[in-house]
Coordinates of all heavy atoms in Angstrom, one line a residue:
M8 N 0.8 -1.2 0.0 CA 0.0 0.0 0.0 C 0.9 1.2 0.0 O 1.8 1.3 0.8 CB -0.9 0.0 1.2 CG -1.9 1.1 1.2 SD -3.1 0.8 2.6 CE -4.6 0.8 1.7
T9 N 0.6 2.2 -0.9 CA 1.4 3.4 -1.0 C 0.6 4.6 -0.8 O -0.6 4.6 -1.1 CB 2.1 3.5 -2.3 OG1 1.1 3.5 -3.3 CG2 3.0 2.3 -2.6
G10 N 1.2 5.7 -0.4 CA 0.6 7.0 -0.3 C -0.5 7.1 0.7 O -0.7 6.2 1.5
G11 N -1.1 8.3 0.8 CA -2.1 8.6 1.8 C -3.5 8.4 1.2 O -3.7 8.0 0.1
P12 N -4.5 8.8 2.0 CA -5.9 8.6 1.6 C -6.3 9.4 0.4 O -7.2 9.1 -0.3 CB -6.7 9.0 2.8 CG -5.8 9.8 3.7 CD -4.4 9.4 3.3
A13 N -5.6 10.5 0.1 CA -6.0 11.4 -1.0 C -5.3 10.9 -2.3 O -5.7 11.4 -3.4 CB -5.5 12.8 -0.7
E14 N -4.4 9.9 -2.3 CA -3.8 9.5 -3.5 C -4.8 8.9 -4.5 O -5.7 8.1 -4.2 CB -2.8 8.4 -3.2 CG -2.0 7.9 -4.4 CD -0.9 6.9 -4.1 OE1 -0.2 7.1 -3.1 OE2 -1.0 5.9 -4.7
G15 N -4.7 9.4 -5.7 CA -5.6 8.9 -6.8 C -6.9 9.6 -6.8 O -7.7 9.4 -7.8
K16 N -7.2 10.5 -5.9 CA -8.5 11.2 -5.9 C -8.4 12.3 -6.9 O -7.4 13.0 -7.0 CB -8.8 11.7 -4.5 CG -9.4 10.7 -3.6 CD -9.9 11.4 -2.3 CE -10.5 10.4 -1.4 NZ -11.1 11.1 -0.2
K17 N -9.5 12.5 -7.5 CA -9.7 13.7 -8.4 C -9.9 14.9 -7.6 O -10.7 14.9 -6.7 CB -10.8 13.4 -9.4 CG -10.9 14.3 -10.5 CD -12.0 13.9 -11.5 CE -12.0 14.7 -12.7 NZ -13.0 14.3 -13.7
P18 N -9.2 16.0 -7.9 CA -9.4 17.3 -7.2 C -10.8 17.9 -7.5 O -11.4 17.6 -8.5 CB -8.3 18.2 -7.6 CG -8.0 17.7 -9.0 CD -8.2 16.2 -9.0
W19 N -11.3 18.7 -6.6 CA -12.5 19.4 -6.8 C -12.2 20.9 -6.9 O -11.1 21.3 -6.5 CB -13.4 19.1 -5.6 CG -14.2 17.8 -5.7 CD1 -13.7 16.6 -5.6 CD2 -15.6 17.7 -6.0 NE1 -14.7 15.6 -5.9 CE2 -15.8 16.3 -6.1 CE3 -16.6 18.6 -6.2 CZ2 -17.1 15.8 -6.4 CZ3 -17.9 18.1 -6.5 CH2 -18.1 16.7 -6.6
F20 N -13.2 21.6 -7.4 CA -13.0 23.0 -7.6 C -14.3 23.8 -7.2 O -15.4 23.3 -7.3 CB -12.8 23.3 -9.1 CG -11.5 22.7 -9.7 CD1 -11.6 21.4 -10.2 CD2 -10.4 23.4 -9.7 CE1 -10.4 20.8 -10.7 CE2 -9.2 22.8 -10.2 CZ -9.2 21.6 -10.7
V21 N -14.0 25.0 -6.6 CA -15.1 25.9 -6.4 C -15.0 26.9 -7.5 O -13.8 27.3 -7.8 CB -15.0 26.5 -5.0 CG1 -16.0 27.6 -4.7 CG2 -15.0 25.5 -3.9
Y22 N -16.1 27.4 -8.0 CA -16.0 28.3 -9.2 C -17.0 29.4 -9.0 O -18.0 29.2 -8.3 CB -16.1 27.6 -10.5 CG -17.5 26.9 -10.7 CD1 -18.5 27.6 -11.3 CD2 -17.7 25.7 -10.2 CE1 -19.8 27.0 -11.5 CE2 -19.0 25.1 -10.3 CZ -20.0 25.7 -10.9 OH -21.2 25.2 -11.1
M23 N -16.8 30.5 -9.7 CA -17.8 31.6 -9.8 C -18.0 31.9 -11.3 O -17.1 32.0 -12.1 CB -17.3 32.8 -9.1 CG -17.6 32.8 -7.6 SD -17.4 34.4 -6.9 CE -16.2 34.0 -5.7
L24 N -19.3 32.1 -11.6 CA -19.7 32.6 -13.0 C -20.2 34.0 -12.9 O -21.0 34.3 -11.9 CB -20.7 31.6 -13.5 CG -20.5 30.2 -13.6 CD1 -21.7 29.4 -14.2 CD2 -19.3 29.9 -14.5
R25 N -19.9 34.8 -13.8 CA -20.5 36.1 -14.0 C -21.6 35.9 -15.0 O -21.3 35.5 -16.2 CB -19.6 37.2 -14.4 CG -20.2 38.6 -14.4 CD -19.3 39.7 -14.7 NE -18.0 39.7 -13.9 CZ -17.9 40.1 -12.7 NH1 -18.9 40.7 -12.1 NH2 -16.7 40.1 -12.1
C26 N -22.9 36.1 -14.7 CA -24.0 36.0 -15.6 C -24.1 37.2 -16.4 O -23.6 38.3 -16.1 CB -25.3 35.7 -14.8 SG -25.2 34.3 -13.7
G27 N -24.9 37.1 -17.5 CA -25.1 38.3 -18.4 C -25.8 39.5 -17.7 O -25.6 40.6 -18.1
D28 N -26.5 39.2 -16.6 CA -27.1 40.4 -15.8 C -26.1 40.9 -14.7 O -26.5 41.6 -13.9 CB -28.4 40.0 -15.2 CG -28.3 38.8 -14.2 OD1 -27.2 38.3 -14.0 OD2 -29.4 38.4 -13.7
Q29 N -24.8 40.4 -14.8 CA -23.8 40.8 -13.9 C -23.9 40.3 -12.5 O -23.1 40.6 -11.6 CB -23.6 42.4 -13.8 CG -23.3 43.0 -15.2 CD -22.0 42.4 -15.8 OE1 -20.9 42.4 -15.2 NE2 -22.2 41.8 -17.0
T30 N -24.8 39.4 -12.2 CA -24.8 38.7 -11.0 C -23.8 37.6 -11.0 O -23.2 37.2 -12.0 CB -26.2 38.0 -10.7 OG1 -26.5 37.1 -11.7 CG2 -27.3 39.1 -10.6
L31 N -23.4 37.1 -9.8 CA -22.4 36.1 -9.6 C -23.0 34.8 -9.1 O -23.8 34.9 -8.2 CB -21.3 36.5 -8.6 CG -20.4 37.7 -9.1 CD1 -19.6 38.2 -8.0 CD2 -19.6 37.3 -10.3
Y32 N -22.7 33.7 -9.7 CA -23.1 32.4 -9.2 C -21.9 31.6 -8.7 O -20.9 31.6 -9.4 CB -23.8 31.6 -10.4 CG -24.1 30.2 -10.0 CD1 -25.3 29.9 -9.3 CD2 -23.3 29.2 -10.4 CE1 -25.5 28.6 -8.9 CE2 -23.5 27.9 -10.0 CZ -24.7 27.6 -9.3 OH -24.9 26.3 -8.9
T33 N -22.0 30.9 -7.6 CA -20.9 30.1 -7.0 C -21.4 28.7 -7.0 O -22.5 28.4 -6.6 CB -20.6 30.6 -5.6 OG1 -20.3 32.0 -5.7 CG2 -19.4 29.9 -5.0
G34 N -20.5 27.8 -7.4 CA -20.8 26.4 -7.4 C -19.5 25.6 -7.2 O -18.4 26.1 -7.0
S35 N -19.6 24.2 -7.1 CA -18.5 23.4 -7.0 C -18.7 22.1 -7.9 O -19.8 21.7 -8.2 CB -18.3 22.9 -5.5 OG -19.5 22.3 -5.0
T36 N -17.5 21.6 -8.3 CA -17.5 20.5 -9.2 C -16.2 19.8 -9.3 O -15.2 20.4 -8.8 CB -17.9 20.9 -10.7 OG1 -18.0 19.8 -11.5 CG2 -16.9 21.9 -11.2
D37 N -16.1 18.6 -9.8 CA -14.8 18.0 -10.0 C -14.4 18.1 -11.5 O -13.3 17.6 -11.9 CB -14.9 16.5 -9.6 CG -15.8 15.7 -10.4 OD1 -16.7 16.2 -11.2 OD2 -15.8 14.4 -10.3
D38 N -15.2 18.8 -12.3 CA -14.9 19.0 -13.7 C -15.4 20.3 -14.2 O -16.6 20.4 -14.6 CB -15.5 17.8 -14.5 CG -15.1 17.8 -16.0 OD1 -14.7 18.9 -16.5 OD2 -15.1 16.7 -16.6
V39 N -14.6 21.3 -14.1 CA -15.1 22.7 -14.4 C -15.6 22.9 -15.9 O -16.7 23.4 -16.1 CB -14.1 23.8 -14.0 CG1 -14.6 25.2 -14.4 CG2 -13.9 23.7 -12.5
P40 N -14.8 22.4 -16.8 CA -15.2 22.6 -18.2 C -16.6 21.9 -18.5 O -17.4 22.5 -19.2 CB -14.1 22.0 -19.1 CG -12.9 22.1 -18.2 CD -13.4 21.9 -16.8
R41 N -16.8 20.7 -18.0 CA -18.0 20.0 -18.2 C -19.2 20.7 -17.5 O -20.2 20.9 -18.1 CB -17.9 18.6 -17.6 CG -19.2 17.7 -17.9 CD -19.3 16.6 -16.9 NE -19.5 17.1 -15.6 CZ -19.2 16.6 -14.5 NH1 -18.7 15.4 -14.4 NH2 -19.4 17.2 -13.3
R42 N -18.9 21.2 -16.3 CA -20.0 21.9 -15.6 C -20.3 23.2 -16.2 O -21.5 23.6 -16.3 CB -19.5 22.1 -14.1 CG -20.6 22.7 -13.2 CD -21.7 21.7 -13.0 NE -22.7 22.3 -12.0 CZ -24.0 22.1 -12.1 NH1 -24.5 21.3 -13.0 NH2 -24.8 22.6 -11.2
L43 N -19.3 24.0 -16.7 CA -19.6 25.2 -17.4 C -20.4 24.9 -18.7 O -21.4 25.7 -19.0 CB -18.3 25.9 -17.8 CG -18.4 27.2 -18.5 CD1 -19.2 28.2 -17.7 CD2 -17.0 27.8 -18.8
A44 N -20.1 23.9 -19.4 CA -20.8 23.5 -20.6 C -22.3 23.2 -20.3 O -23.2 23.6 -21.0 CB -20.2 22.3 -21.3
A45 N -22.5 22.5 -19.1 CA -23.9 22.2 -18.7 C -24.6 23.5 -18.4 O -25.8 23.7 -18.7 CB -23.8 21.3 -17.5
H46 N -24.0 24.4 -17.7 CA -24.6 25.7 -17.4 C -25.0 26.4 -18.7 O -26.2 26.9 -18.8 CB -23.7 26.6 -16.6 CG -23.6 26.3 -15.1 ND1 -24.7 26.4 -14.2 CD2 -22.6 25.9 -14.4 CE1 -24.3 26.1 -13.0 NE2 -23.0 25.8 -13.1
R47 N -24.1 26.5 -19.6 CA -24.3 27.2 -20.9 C -25.4 26.5 -21.7 O -26.1 27.2 -22.5 CB -23.0 27.3 -21.6 CG -22.1 28.3 -21.0 CD -20.8 28.5 -21.8 NE -20.0 29.6 -21.2 CZ -18.7 29.7 -21.4 NH1 -18.0 28.8 -22.1 NH2 -18.1 30.7 -20.8
A48 N -25.6 25.2 -21.5 CA -26.6 24.5 -22.3 C -28.0 24.5 -21.6 O -28.9 23.9 -22.0 CB -26.2 23.0 -22.5
G49 N -28.0 25.2 -20.4 CA -29.3 25.2 -19.7 C -29.6 24.0 -18.8 O -30.6 23.9 -18.3
R50 N -28.5 23.2 -18.6 CA -28.7 22.0 -17.8 C -28.0 22.2 -16.4 O -27.9 21.2 -15.7 CB -28.1 20.8 -18.5 CG -28.9 20.4 -19.8 CD -28.3 19.1 -20.4 NE -26.9 19.0 -20.3 CZ -26.0 19.4 -21.2 NH1 -26.5 20.0 -22.3 NH2 -24.7 19.2 -21.1
G51 N -27.5 23.3 -16.2 CA -26.8 23.6 -14.9 C -27.8 24.0 -13.8 O -28.9 23.5 -13.8
A52 N -27.4 24.8 -13.0 CA -28.2 25.3 -11.9 C -29.4 26.1 -12.4 O -29.3 26.8 -13.4 CB -27.5 26.2 -10.9
K53 N -30.5 26.0 -11.8 CA -31.7 26.7 -12.2 C -31.4 28.2 -12.2 O -31.9 28.9 -13.1 CB -32.9 26.4 -11.2 CG -34.2 26.9 -11.6 CD -35.2 26.4 -10.6 CE -36.6 26.7 -11.1 NZ -37.6 26.2 -10.1
Y54 N -30.6 28.7 -11.3 CA -30.3 30.2 -11.2 C -29.7 30.7 -12.5 O -30.0 31.8 -12.9 CB -29.4 30.4 -10.0 CG -29.1 31.9 -9.9 CD1 -29.9 32.8 -9.2 CD2 -27.9 32.5 -10.5 CE1 -29.7 34.1 -9.1 CE2 -27.7 33.8 -10.4 CZ -28.6 34.6 -9.7 OH -28.3 36.0 -9.6
T55 N -28.8 29.9 -13.1 CA -28.1 30.4 -14.3 C -28.9 30.3 -15.6 O -28.5 30.9 -16.6 CB -26.8 29.6 -14.5 OG1 -27.0 28.2 -14.6 CG2 -25.9 29.9 -13.3
R56 N -30.0 29.5 -15.6 CA -30.8 29.4 -16.8 C -31.4 30.8 -17.2 O -32.0 31.4 -16.4 CB -31.9 28.4 -16.6 CG -31.4 27.0 -16.5 CD -32.5 26.0 -16.3 NE -31.9 24.8 -15.7 CZ -32.6 24.0 -14.9 NH1 -33.9 24.2 -14.7 NH2 -32.0 23.0 -14.4
G57 N -31.2 31.1 -18.5 CA -31.7 32.4 -19.0 C -30.9 33.6 -18.6 O -31.3 34.7 -18.8
R58 N -29.8 33.4 -17.9 CA -29.0 34.5 -17.4 C -27.7 34.7 -18.2 O -26.7 35.4 -17.8 CB -28.6 34.4 -16.0 CG -29.8 34.6 -15.1 CD -29.4 34.5 -13.6 NE -30.5 34.5 -12.7 CZ -31.0 35.5 -12.1 NH1 -30.5 36.7 -12.2 NH2 -32.1 35.4 -11.3
G59 N -27.6 34.0 -19.4 CA -26.4 34.1 -20.2 C -26.1 35.4 -20.8 O -27.0 36.3 -20.8
P60 N -25.0 35.6 -21.4 CA -23.9 34.7 -21.4 C -23.2 34.5 -20.1 O -23.2 35.4 -19.2 CB -22.9 35.3 -22.4 CG -23.2 36.8 -22.3 CD -24.6 36.9 -22.0
L61 N -22.6 33.4 -19.9 CA -22.0 33.0 -18.6 C -20.5 33.0 -18.8 O -19.9 32.5 -19.8 CB -22.4 31.6 -18.1 CG -23.9 31.5 -17.9 CD1 -24.2 30.0 -17.7 CD2 -24.4 32.4 -16.9
E62 N -19.8 33.7 -17.9 CA -18.3 33.8 -18.0 C -17.7 33.2 -16.7 O -18.1 33.6 -15.6 CB -17.9 35.3 -18.1 CG -16.4 35.5 -18.1 CD -16.0 37.0 -18.0 OE1 -16.9 37.8 -17.8 OE2 -14.8 37.3 -18.1
L63 N -16.8 32.3 -16.8 CA -16.1 31.8 -15.7 C -15.1 32.8 -15.2 O -14.2 33.2 -16.0 CB -15.3 30.5 -16.1 CG -14.5 29.8 -15.0 CD1 -15.5 29.2 -13.9 CD2 -13.7 28.6 -15.6
V64 N -15.2 33.3 -14.0 CA -14.4 34.4 -13.5 C -13.5 34.0 -12.3 O -12.6 34.7 -11.9 CB -15.2 35.6 -13.1 CG1 -15.9 36.2 -14.4 CG2 -16.3 35.3 -12.1
Y65 N -13.7 32.8 -11.8 CA -12.9 32.4 -10.6 C -13.0 30.9 -10.4 O -14.0 30.3 -10.6 CB -13.5 33.0 -9.3 CG -12.8 32.7 -8.1 CD1 -11.6 33.4 -7.7 CD2 -13.2 31.7 -7.2 CE1 -11.0 33.0 -6.5 CE2 -12.6 31.3 -6.1 CZ -11.4 32.0 -5.7 OH -10.8 31.7 -4.6
T66 N -11.8 30.3 -10.2 CA -11.8 28.9 -9.8 C -10.8 28.7 -8.6 O -9.8 29.5 -8.6 CB -11.3 27.9 -10.9 OG1 -10.0 28.3 -11.4 CG2 -12.3 27.9 -12.1
E67 N -11.0 27.8 -7.8 CA -10.2 27.5 -6.7 C -10.1 26.0 -6.5 O -11.2 25.4 -6.3 CB -10.7 28.2 -5.4 CG -9.8 28.0 -4.2 CD -10.4 28.7 -3.0 OE1 -11.0 29.8 -3.1 OE2 -10.2 28.2 -1.9
R68 N -8.9 25.4 -6.5 CA -8.8 24.0 -6.4 C -8.8 23.6 -4.9 O -8.2 24.3 -4.1 CB -7.5 23.6 -7.0 CG -7.2 22.1 -7.0 CD -5.9 21.8 -7.6 NE -5.7 20.3 -7.6 CZ -5.0 19.7 -8.5 NH1 -4.5 20.3 -9.5 NH2 -4.8 18.4 -8.4
V69 N -9.6 22.6 -4.6 CA -9.6 22.1 -3.2 C -9.4 20.6 -3.2 O -9.6 19.9 -4.3 CB -11.0 22.5 -2.5 CG1 -11.1 24.0 -2.3 CG2 -12.2 22.0 -3.3
P70 N -9.1 19.9 -2.1 CA -8.7 18.5 -2.1 C -9.8 17.5 -2.4 O -9.6 16.5 -3.0 CB -8.0 18.3 -0.8 CG -8.4 19.4 0.1 CD -8.8 20.6 -0.8
D71 N -11.0 17.8 -1.9 CA -12.1 16.8 -2.1 C -13.5 17.5 -2.0 O -13.6 18.7 -1.9 CB -12.0 15.8 -1.0 CG -12.0 16.4 0.4 OD1 -12.7 17.3 0.7 OD2 -11.2 15.9 1.3
R72 N -14.5 16.7 -2.2 CA -15.9 17.2 -2.3 C -16.3 17.9 -1.0 O -16.9 19.0 -1.1 CB -16.8 16.0 -2.6 CG -18.3 16.5 -2.8 CD -19.2 15.3 -3.2 NE -20.5 15.8 -3.5 CZ -21.5 15.7 -2.6 NH1 -21.3 15.2 -1.4 NH2 -22.7 16.2 -2.9
G73 N -16.0 17.4 0.1 CA -16.3 18.0 1.4 C -15.7 19.4 1.5 O -16.4 20.4 1.9
A74 N -14.4 19.5 1.2 CA -13.8 20.8 1.2 C -14.4 21.8 0.2 O -14.5 23.0 0.5 CB -12.3 20.7 0.9
A75 N -14.8 21.3 -1.0 CA -15.5 22.1 -2.0 C -16.8 22.7 -1.5 O -17.1 23.8 -1.6 CB -15.7 21.3 -3.3
L76 N -17.6 21.8 -0.8 CA -18.9 22.3 -0.3 C -18.7 23.3 0.8 O -19.4 24.3 0.9 CB -19.7 21.1 0.2 CG -20.1 20.1 -0.9 CD1 -20.8 18.9 -0.3 CD2 -21.0 20.8 -2.0
R77 N -17.7 23.1 1.7 CA -17.5 24.0 2.8 C -17.0 25.4 2.2 O -17.5 26.4 2.6 CB -16.4 23.5 3.7 CG -17.0 22.4 4.6 CD -16.0 22.0 5.7 NE -14.7 21.4 5.2 CZ -14.5 20.2 4.8 NH1 -15.5 19.3 4.9 NH2 -13.4 19.7 4.4
R78 N -16.1 25.3 1.2 CA -15.6 26.6 0.6 C -16.7 27.3 -0.2 O -16.8 28.5 -0.1 CB -14.4 26.3 -0.3 CG -13.7 27.5 -0.9 CD -13.2 28.4 0.2 NE -12.5 29.5 -0.5 CZ -12.4 30.7 0.0 NH1 -12.9 31.0 1.2 NH2 -11.7 31.7 -0.6
E79 N -17.5 26.5 -0.9 CA -18.6 27.1 -1.6 C -19.5 27.9 -0.6 O -19.9 29.0 -0.9 CB -19.4 26.0 -2.3 CG -20.6 26.5 -3.1 CD -21.4 25.4 -3.7 OE1 -21.0 24.3 -3.8 OE2 -22.6 25.7 -4.2
Y80 N -19.8 27.3 0.5 CA -20.7 27.9 1.5 C -20.0 29.2 2.0 O -20.7 30.3 2.1 CB -20.9 27.0 2.7 CG -21.7 27.6 3.8 CD1 -23.1 27.7 3.7 CD2 -21.1 28.0 5.0 CE1 -23.8 28.3 4.7 CE2 -21.8 28.5 6.0 CZ -23.2 28.7 5.9 OH -23.9 29.2 6.9
Q81 N -18.7 29.2 2.2 CA -18.0 30.4 2.7 C -18.1 31.5 1.6 O -18.3 32.7 2.0 CB -16.5 30.1 2.9 CG -16.2 29.2 4.1 CD -14.7 28.8 4.2 OE1 -14.0 28.9 3.2 NE2 -14.3 28.4 5.4
L82 N -17.8 31.1 0.4 CA -17.9 32.2 -0.7 C -19.3 32.7 -0.9 O -19.4 33.9 -1.1 CB -17.4 31.6 -2.0 CG -15.9 31.2 -2.1 CD1 -15.5 30.5 -3.4 CD2 -15.0 32.3 -1.7
K83 N -20.3 31.9 -0.8 CA -21.6 32.4 -0.9 C -22.0 33.4 0.2 O -22.9 34.3 0.0 CB -22.6 31.3 -0.9 CG -22.6 30.5 -2.2 CD -23.6 29.4 -2.3 CE -23.6 28.7 -3.6 NZ -24.6 27.7 -3.7
R84 N -21.3 33.4 1.3 CA -21.6 34.3 2.4 C -20.9 35.6 2.3 O -21.2 36.6 3.0 CB -21.3 33.6 3.7 CG -22.2 32.5 4.0 CD -21.9 31.8 5.4 NE -21.8 32.8 6.4 CZ -22.8 33.0 7.3 NH1 -23.9 32.3 7.3 NH2 -22.7 33.9 8.3
L85 N -20.0 35.7 1.3 CA -19.2 37.0 1.1 C -20.1 38.0 0.5 O -21.1 37.7 -0.2 CB -18.0 36.8 0.2 CG -16.9 35.8 0.7 CD1 -15.9 35.7 -0.4 CD2 -16.3 36.3 1.9
S86 N -19.8 39.3 0.8 CA -20.6 40.4 0.1 C -20.1 40.4 -1.3 O -19.1 39.9 -1.7 CB -20.2 41.7 0.8 OG -18.9 42.1 0.5
R87 N -20.9 41.2 -2.1 CA -20.6 41.4 -3.5 C -19.2 42.0 -3.7 O -18.4 41.6 -4.5 CB -21.6 42.3 -4.2 CG -21.4 42.7 -5.6 CD -21.5 41.6 -6.6 NE -21.2 42.0 -7.9 CZ -21.8 41.7 -9.0 NH1 -22.9 40.9 -8.9 NH2 -21.4 42.1 -10.1
R88 N -18.9 43.0 -2.9 CA -17.6 43.7 -2.9 C -16.5 42.7 -2.6 O -15.4 42.7 -3.3 CB -17.5 44.8 -1.9 CG -16.2 45.5 -1.9 CD -16.2 46.6 -0.9 NE -16.8 47.8 -1.6 CZ -17.2 48.9 -1.0 NH1 -17.0 49.0 0.3 NH2 -17.7 49.9 -1.6
E89 N -16.6 41.8 -1.6 CA -15.6 40.8 -1.2 C -15.4 39.8 -2.3 O -14.3 39.4 -2.6 CB -16.0 40.1 0.1 CG -15.9 41.0 1.3 CD -16.6 40.4 2.5 OE1 -17.6 39.7 2.4 OE2 -16.0 40.6 3.6
K90 N -16.5 39.4 -3.0 CA -16.4 38.5 -4.1 C -15.6 39.1 -5.3 O -14.7 38.5 -5.9 CB -17.7 38.0 -4.6 CG -18.4 37.1 -3.6 CD -19.8 36.8 -4.1 CE -20.6 36.0 -3.1 NZ -22.0 35.7 -3.5
E91 N -15.9 40.4 -5.6 CA -15.2 41.1 -6.7 C -13.7 41.2 -6.4 O -12.9 41.1 -7.3 CB -15.9 42.5 -6.9 CG -17.3 42.4 -7.5 CD -17.4 41.9 -8.9 OE1 -16.3 41.6 -9.6 OE2 -18.5 41.7 -9.4
T92 N -13.4 41.5 -5.1 CA -12.0 41.6 -4.7 C -11.3 40.3 -4.9 O -10.2 40.2 -5.4 CB -11.9 42.0 -3.2 OG1 -12.5 43.3 -3.1 CG2 -10.4 42.1 -2.8
L93 N -11.9 39.2 -4.5 CA -11.4 37.8 -4.7 C -11.2 37.5 -6.2 O -10.1 37.0 -6.6 CB -12.3 36.8 -4.0 CG -11.8 35.4 -4.0 CD1 -10.6 35.2 -3.1 CD2 -12.9 34.5 -3.5
I94 N -12.1 37.8 -7.0 CA -12.0 37.6 -8.4 C -10.9 38.4 -9.0 O -10.2 37.9 -9.9 CB -13.4 38.0 -9.1 CG1 -14.5 37.0 -8.7 CG2 -13.2 38.0 -10.6 CD1 -15.9 37.4 -9.1
A95 N -10.7 39.6 -8.6 CA -9.6 40.5 -9.1 C -8.2 40.0 -8.8 O -7.3 40.4 -9.5 CB -9.9 41.9 -8.7
Q96 N -8.1 39.2 -7.8 CA -6.7 38.8 -7.4 C -6.2 37.8 -8.4 O -6.9 36.8 -8.8 CB -6.7 38.1 -6.0 CG -7.1 39.1 -4.9 CD -7.2 38.4 -3.5 OE1 -7.2 37.2 -3.4 NE2 -7.4 39.2 -2.5
P97 N -4.9 37.9 -8.8 CA -4.3 36.9 -9.7 C -4.2 35.6 -9.1 O -3.9 35.4 -7.9 CB -2.9 37.5 -10.0 CG -2.7 38.6 -9.1 CD -4.0 39.0 -8.4
R98 N -4.5 34.5 -9.8 CA -4.5 33.1 -9.3 C -3.5 32.4 -10.2 O -3.7 32.3 -11.4 CB -5.9 32.5 -9.4 CG -6.9 33.3 -8.7 CD -7.7 32.8 -7.5 NE -7.5 31.4 -7.2 CZ -7.2 31.1 -5.9 NH1 -7.0 32.0 -5.0 NH2 -7.1 29.8 -5.6
P99 N -2.6 31.7 -9.6 CA -1.6 30.9 -10.4 C -2.2 29.7 -11.1 O -1.7 29.3 -12.2 CB -0.6 30.5 -9.4 CG -1.3 30.5 -8.1 CD -2.3 31.5 -8.2
E100 N -3.2 29.1 -10.6 CA -3.8 27.9 -11.2 C -5.3 28.0 -11.4 O -6.0 28.5 -10.5 CB -3.5 26.7 -10.3 CG -4.0 25.4 -10.8 CD -3.8 24.3 -9.9 OE1 -2.7 24.1 -9.4 OE2 -4.8 23.5 -9.6
T101 N -5.7 27.6 -12.5 CA -7.2 27.6 -12.8 C -7.6 26.2 -13.2 O -6.7 25.4 -13.6 CB -7.6 28.6 -13.9 OG1 -7.1 28.1 -15.1 CG2 -7.2 30.0 -13.6
A102 N -8.8 25.9 -13.1 CA -9.3 24.6 -13.5 C -9.1 24.3 -15.0 O -9.0 23.2 -15.4 CB -10.8 24.5 -13.2
E103 N -9.1 25.3 -15.8 CA -8.9 25.1 -17.2 C -7.5 24.9 -17.6 O -7.2 24.2 -18.6 CB -9.5 26.3 -18.0 CG -11.0 26.5 -17.9 CD -11.5 27.6 -18.7 OE1 -10.9 28.7 -18.8 OE2 -12.7 27.5 -19.2
T104 N -6.5 25.4 -16.8 CA -5.1 25.2 -17.2 C -4.4 24.2 -16.3 O -3.3 23.8 -16.6 CB -4.4 26.6 -17.1 OG1 -4.4 27.1 -15.8 CG2 -5.0 27.6 -18.1
G105 N -4.9 23.9 -15.1 CA -4.2 23.1 -14.2 C -5.0 22.0 -13.7 O -4.7 21.1 -13.1

């Protein structure tokens, strides 16, 4: 047996979308490109349906689903100003590139 309990696990991501009406939607997934495609096709969250175009503006890698759900909850509790500040900060890794 090698490695720890996280070995071989797929990472999870928390993400934010900017909707066409300039509102922000926060979610979590283990596959950001697939989830973004689902949102854009109207098969994502009910909130994002009819609010296109949708732009991916933030991703954050987390170790597992539990961590993703906890972080999603934290981000949803931020004010609009705090979310915009977070989005504006440069991030070395995104779900699309890393």
